[in-house]
Amino acid sequence: MEANFEQSSKPTKFSEQKLTPKELYQAILKQWKWIALSLAACLGLAILYLAWKPYSYTREAQVEIKDEEDSGASSALAMFSDLGIGQATNNLYNEMAYFESPDLMEKVVERLGLQTNYNMRVGLRSKVLYGSSLPVTVTFESLPSNIGGRFKMNINEKEEIYLSKFRVKDENVDFSQSKPFHFGETIVTPLGKIKIEKTPFYGKDKEALGEPVEYKIGVGRSSMKGAVDAWLAKLSVNELRKEASVVDLSVIDGSPRRAEDVLNALIQIYNEEWIINKNEIALASSDFIDNRLESLVKELGEVDANISDYKSENQIPDLLTSATINLNEEQNSRKELLELTNQLQMAKYLKDYIEQNANDSRLLPVNSGIQSPMLESQIATFNSLVVRRNSLASNSSEENPVVVDLSAQIEDSRNAIIYSVENQIKLLSSSIANINKEKLAFEKNLSANPEQARFLLSVERQQKVKENLYLYLLQKKEENQLNQAFTPYNTRIISRPNGDTDPTSPKPLTILAMAFILGLALPIGTIYIKEVSNTKVRDKNDLKGLSMPFLGEIPKVNSRKFDDKEHMVVVNPGNRNIVNEAFRVVRTNLNFMLDEDNKCPVVMVTSFNPGSGKSFVTVNLAMSLAIRGKRVLVIDGDMRRNSSSAYVGNPDTGLAQCLSGKVKNVEDAIVRGNLHENFDMLPGGKTPPNPTELLENGRLASIIEELRNNYDVIFIDNAPIQMIADGRIFSTVCTNTIFVIRAGLFERGLLPELDNVYRSKEYSNMSLLLNGTEGGGSYGGYGMNKSYYAQND
């Protein structure tokens, strides 16, 4: 490698060095052991989690919600469609909300006994016991439904039962058992009286595996509200497709069989509740028809009696034949009047019925016979609200906010119906009045008809209306009874509860993949953050902005191979490891920088920071020259610390004593051939109280000049230049200066200041040496292959 000897008078511009992908890769490669450890830890935790996490299974079912027109139970409304009374269609989202209602789930919990849960430890994992895997059942005979608890149950081969670890309302409760319990006994415990009994599956799982019939089972009893909330959290109700009235029901549970049973029970109880609600509407319609028939029978009897009495009193024969001739042209008007009168009577009756039951939560009749689609829709909505309100009130109380809200909605709906009926009455009355006007105009032309005929016709008309209405209601009564007898379910099962045999969670591949990614991300992320936030000089690339000549770089030394880790001599004859080669490169570059005409160059080695490795560099660089046959002297110029002196045992006699005059002949203070036959050292000696004053007393120049006659190269290990003034004093007798900065210690922000020191020419022939680089360093852009130099490492 050739040293960088170019100098420039232009100010150097320093730019912030960004972390390159190559640098990040090298930093990651150096920490491969930590990355491997992180991977092993994360994968180990993932495997442990997979071994501990209980299995969860998903079961799904799809059901179609039928429209009212497809459901026979809706006929309580449909049978009056010929009078204009329509029918309400099912709202899919309302039915989905009912599937998720606590009331419905509470009935499921009661039917399946889901308040009690059983589990058993299999390895690290807790297994849910249910169905064929449940060997015993526990009956809580006196525990209130609003209290929960749990306990442990151990059963040995003798079928002796031991109970322990009772918890009631999440608090531990002491329970002492003096003797074993047995199946079928009533046991008094902190959870009340319980009874433990075998199931038909007791012992079969153990016998199949050839194991002793012993069980350790955890039994948990949830409060009713807690069980309902837990199962609602496991239930998911979604619309399958927008264009289809199909609901997708899914349950996630540790037992696939229990999840299927919950879905089946949910659908079954939903259908049962739906039929009950529809039958209530049908019964209300039946009561209305019966009441109206009873009233019509009485009215028809009165009309018949009036006609008979009138004819007897006035001796009037049958006028039907003569009246037919006179009223042929009136026939069409009478028919229309009949229909309107029928509707008017029904409207008045409906109004009276609503006002008489204004404060009652009864259902309204749906067979009013009034040809008003809006009124029929309002009655259907009213009945739906009443059914929901009565259902909620029976399960809670009248003060329930939902019940109160529904009552308010019912009152508003009732007022709207009354308003619509009154409008219909006005409309019908107006129509009847118009027809009557036409009839009166016609009757004026029938001046020959007697008054008696007119009276009889009027009475007979009423009789005809009531007869038609009576026959109509009789027909609807039969239809209503048939509808009650043949009410199908509101749902059709599209897909019965089913699912994969593999558990939904945990997912081994997903968890292991996440653990693998996390195992890589944690250390790599830490390394990245550390490197990005690192403001120290890392390698030669960070020094590109300096105009100072670059002497070379020394890689970090593996100090574990040395007994004295603070005073390592790494340069040895014939050693070709990477550190020796690095010092050889520095030695070669230094030879280029030294003045060949100078009889003995004096090289000062200094730095900005303590701990930069000046003494290590000085001693080993001197050793590399000594091995080449150069007579080398190292002077420990840092008399405060005497770092280089430690390589020869820190003698008390040294430079300080020579400068103070205690040692007249400097040759007497030199330690000769301790490290190598060509390597001598002038230690610092006993630390004086005033090192700077000694250096300034004028003896230093004469001592150095005297020593230059005996050596080829003299190195001075000096103190950091920013801390004390010794460096400037030594620079007066030095021909060259090596400035050592340590990778990972020297702040990049100080590089401009270092460049200013170089440009100030305060130190002679100043050059830079980078010490302690990672990964062997790089020379001339070519990375040093560590394995190539490892033969003598």
Side-chain angles (χ1 to χ4, degrees):
M1 181 206 102
E2 295 184 0
N4 177 14
F5 299 124
E6 296 182 2
Q7 299 183 16
S8 174
S9 60
K10 296 180 180 180
T12 304
K13 294 182 179 180
F14 291 89
S15 59
E16 183 67 22
Q17 294 292 331
K18 296 183 179 180
L19 183 66
T20 65
K22 181 179 179 181
E23 291 171 341
L24 179 60
Y25 171 74
Q26 291 174 346
I28 292 171
L29 198 61
K30 287 186 294 186
Q31 303 294 337
W32 70 268
K33 293 182 179 179
W34 288 107
I35 295 175
L37 181 61
S38 174
L39 273 176
C42 289
L43 289 175
L45 289 175
I47 293 171
L48 186 64
Y49 173 79
L50 289 173
W52 167 84
K53 177 67 175 177
Y55 289 132
S56 294
Y57 299 85
T58 300
R59 290 295 179 265
E60 294 182 330
Q62 286 85 39
V63 295
E64 177 190 3
I65 305 298
K66 300 177 184 177
D67 292 333
E68 293 283 1
E69 60 186 8
D70 298 328
S71 175
S74 65
S75 297
L77 294 175
M79 66 181 181
F80 292 105
S81 59
D82 54 346
L83 291 180
I85 300 178
Q87 56 196 45
T89 58
N90 284 328
N91 188 313
L92 179 63
Y93 295 102
N94 290 342
E95 304 307 314
M96 289 171 59
Y98 186 60
F99 270 116
E100 294 178 303
S101 67
D103 291 341
L104 186 60
M105 184 56 71
E106 182 175 342
K107 293 180 175 63
V108 174
V109 171
E110 289 177 350
R111 180 168 297 186
L112 298 179
L114 299 179
Q115 279 186 267
T116 306
N117 299 292
Y118 306 87
N119 61 77
M120 183 170 62
R121 186 68 62 180
V122 179
L124 297 178
R125 182 177 287 109
S126 178
K127 177 185 177 183
V128 175
L129 302 179
Y130 182 81
S132 59
S133 65
L134 181 62
V136 298
T137 59
V138 179
T139 303
F140 294 85
E141 298 181 347
S142 58
L143 184 67
S145 62
N146 61 339
I147 296 178
R150 60 179 183 269
F151 63 90
K152 296 290 185 181
M153 174 172 54
N154 293 339
I155 305 173
N156 59 24
E157 290 185 88
K158 298 179 182 180
E159 298 185 356
E160 295 175 336
I161 304 172
Y162 295 89
L163 307 180
S164 62
K165 296 183 179 180
F166 276 86
R167 286 180 66 84
V168 181
K169 294 182 179 179
D170 293 328
E171 295 182 0
N172 294 326
V173 179
D174 294 333
F175 178 74
S176 59
Q177 181 177 344
S178 59
K179 62 178 182 178
F181 300 121
H182 297 88
F183 291 111
E185 293 182 0
T186 298
I187 306 169
V188 179
T189 70
L191 293 173
K193 294 180 179 180
I194 65 172
K195 183 182 291 186
I196 303 173
E197 296 177 317
K198 295 181 182 179
T199 68
F201 309 102
Y202 181 85
K204 290 186 177 181
D205 55 338
K206 301 291 185 179
E207 294 172 358
L209 298 174
E211 298 177 353
V213 182
E214 297 178 342
Y215 292 100
K216 293 182 179 180
I217 299 175
V219 181
R221 172 75 173 186
S222 303
S223 65
M224 178 57 74
K225 184 179 185 305
V228 169
D229 292 342
W231 280 102
L232 285 176
K234 296 178 180 182
L235 173 67
S236 178
V237 181
N238 297 294
E239 184 182 9
L240 190 61
R241 286 189 297 271
K242 291 291 184 182
E243 63 273 9
S245 299
V246 178
V247 177
D248 181 77
L249 306 173
S250 64
V251 169
I252 300 177
D253 188 46
S255 170
R257 173 66 182 278
R258 185 166 65 176
E260 292 176 5
D261 290 348
V262 168
L263 288 175
N264 284 322
L266 192 70
I267 297 171
Q268 180 64 30
I269 295 175
Y270 167 83
N271 284 327
E272 294 173 358
E273 292 294 310
W274 187 86
I275 289 177
I276 291 174
N277 292 338
K278 290 301 179 182
N279 284 340
E280 288 181 359
I281 296 176
L283 290 174
S285 298
S286 180
D287 292 340
F288 171 77
I289 292 173
D290 290 340
N291 293 334
R292 187 60 185 137
L293 285 174
E294 183 179 352
S295 176
L296 284 173
V297 169
K298 182 178 180 181
E299 291 175 3
L300 282 172
E302 293 176 353
V303 171
D304 291 341
N306 289 338
I307 293 175
S308 176
D309 293 342
Y310 186 80
K311 286 184 177 181
S312 299
E313 291 175 1
N314 296 279
Q315 297 180 356
I316 299 174
D318 185 10
L319 300 177
L320 181 59
T321 302
S322 58
T324 300
I325 298 173
N326 295 323
L327 300 176
N328 280 335
E329 296 183 6
E330 187 190 21
Q331 192 171 12
N332 292 333
S333 298
R334 185 174 63 247
K335 182 178 179 181
E336 185 178 357
L337 184 62
L338 179 65
E339 291 178 359
L340 294 176
T341 305
N342 185 14
Q343 293 187 42
L344 180 61
Q345 291 294 324
M346 291 299 298
K348 291 180 178 180
Y349 180 82
L350 182 60
K351 179 184 176 184
D352 295 337
Y353 181 85
I354 294 173
E355 291 176 348
Q356 290 173 5
N357 300 280
N359 298 322
D360 198 354
S361 59
R362 295 182 182 178
L363 298 171
L364 294 181
V366 295
N367 52 351
S368 62
I370 303 172
Q371 295 181 4
S372 174
M374 182 183 70
L375 179 59
E376 293 158 2
S377 176
Q378 289 175 330
I379 293 174
T381 301
F382 177 87
N383 288 340
S384 177
L385 291 173
V386 170
V387 170
R388 287 179 59 194
R389 186 261 181 200
N390 292 342
S391 177
L392 286 173
S394 63
N395 290 329
S396 56
S397 66
E398 295 291 336
E399 289 75 18
N400 188 314
V402 178
V403 174
V404 172
D405 183 62
L406 286 173
S407 298
Q409 294 182 39
I410 290 171
E411 185 61 29
D412 293 339
S413 180
R414 180 185 285 110
N415 294 333
I417 291 172
I418 293 175
Y419 180 80
S420 297
V421 171
E422 289 175 348
N423 288 340
Q424 191 68 20
I425 290 174
K426 292 178 181 178
L427 179 62
L428 292 173
S429 299
S430 177
S431 298
I432 291 173
N434 292 334
I435 293 175
N436 283 331
K437 287 180 181 180
E438 295 176 359
K439 184 176 69 65
L440 288 175
F442 176 76
E443 289 176 350
K444 289 181 181 179
N445 297 326
L446 299 176
S447 56
N449 291 341
E451 187 66 25
Q452 295 86 350
R454 286 195 310 230
F455 174 81
L456 288 176
L457 288 174
S458 176
V459 175
E460 288 175 355
R461 188 180 300 113
Q462 295 179 18
Q463 181 187 40
K464 189 65 175 179
V465 169
K466 296 182 185 300
E467 286 179 353
N468 290 336
L469 183 58
Y470 181 79
L471 294 174
Y472 178 82
L473 292 177
L474 282 178
Q475 178 185 355
K476 298 308 175 184
K477 180 178 181 180
E478 294 298 324
E479 292 179 6
N480 191 44
Q481 290 176 349
L482 288 174
N483 289 332
Q484 293 182 57
F486 300 100
T487 303
Y489 287 149
N490 186 41
T491 61
R492 178 166 55 240
I493 296 178
I494 304 299
S495 175
R496 295 191 177 277
N498 62 86
D500 294 335
T501 56
D502 296 332
T504 304
S505 67
K507 296 286 189 182
L509 291 179
T510 302
I511 292 175
L512 289 175
M514 292 176 62
F516 183 81
I517 294 173
L518 184 63
L520 289 177
L522 286 176
I524 292 176
T526 303
I527 292 171
Y528 176 78
I529 294 173
K530 181 180 177 182
E531 291 297 321
V532 168
S533 60
N534 183 13
T535 60
K536 311 293 183 181
V537 171
R538 295 167 295 189
D539 52 32
K540 180 182 175 181
N541 293 326
D542 292 335
L543 306 177
K544 290 181 178 179
L546 288 174
S547 56
M548 184 188 307
F550 184 69
L551 191 61
E553 57 182 312
I554 305 299
K556 184 180 290 185
V557 178
N558 186 1
S559 62
R560 291 177 296 178
K561 299 181 179 180
F562 297 88
D563 295 332
D564 188 357
K565 295 178 173 52
E566 294 184 359
H567 310 103
M568 298 178 291
V569 180
V570 298
V571 176
N572 298 303
N575 196 330
R576 293 177 56 193
N577 66 17
I578 191 171
V579 180
N580 276 262
E581 290 298 327
F583 273 104
R584 291 187 183 101
V585 171
V586 174
R587 179 186 66 192
T588 303
N589 291 336
L590 180 62
N591 287 332
F592 277 106
M593 296 186 66
L594 297 177
D595 187 358
E596 295 180 356
D597 297 333
N598 199 325
K599 61 179 180 179
C600 177
V602 180
V603 181
M604 181 178 69
V605 182
T606 186
S607 68
F608 265 174
N609 308 96
S612 298
K614 304 186 309 303
S615 301
F616 168 76
V617 170
T618 303
V619 171
N620 283 278
L621 184 57
M623 180 64 73
S624 69
L625 289 169
I627 291 173
R628 291 293 301 273
K630 297 284 187 179
R631 289 281 297 162
V632 182
L633 174 67
V634 173
I635 300 175
D636 191 348
D638 189 357
M639 293 176 286
R640 293 169 178 80
R641 298 186 61 183
N642 291 326
S643 299
S644 296
S645 303
Y647 283 86
V648 292
N650 281 321
D652 290 338
T653 302
L655 179 62
Q657 285 68 41
C658 294
L659 292 173
S660 65
K662 293 181 180 180
V663 177
K664 301 298 182 181
N665 188 359
V666 69
E667 297 289 336
D668 296 335
I670 294 175
V671 179
R672 303 181 184 277
N674 195 315
L675 299 177
H676 189 273
E677 60 182 359
N678 294 329
F679 190 132
D680 296 342
M681 181 176 291
L682 177 58
K686 189 175 182 179
T687 303
N690 54 349
T692 304
E693 285 77 2
L694 283 178
L695 292 173
E696 292 177 334
N697 64 12
R699 293 189 179 95
L700 177 63
S702 60
I703 291 174
I704 296 299
E705 189 63 29
E706 179 183 349
L707 292 174
R708 293 179 70 180
N709 296 323
N710 301 324
Y711 294 96
D712 295 323
V713 181
I714 296 175
F715 289 95
I716 300 177
D717 180 13
N718 190 23
I721 62 174
Q722 276 197 332
M723 300 182 65
I724 53 179
D726 294 6
R728 289 183 174 83
I729 300 173
F730 275 113
S731 67
T732 60
V733 297
C734 293
T735 61
N736 298 82
T737 304
I738 298 176
F739 195 93
V740 179
I741 65 175
R742 188 180 185 90
L745 178 66
F746 191 84
E747 291 283 347
R748 291 198 296 270
L750 294 176
L751 290 175
E753 185 176 348
L754 177 61
D755 201 58
N756 291 333
V757 172
Y758 169 73
R759 292 177 177 279
S760 68
K761 306 296 183 178
E762 294 181 24
Y763 301 94
S764 304
N765 297 319
M766 192 172 178
S767 60
L768 182 65
L769 187 144
L770 180 60
N771 182 33
T773 56
E774 298 283 351
S778 60
Y779 297 88
Y782 297 94
M784 294 188 67
N785 191 332
K786 191 171 183 178
S787 62
Y788 178 80
Y789 296 96
Q791 51 185 321
N792 295 317
D793 195 6

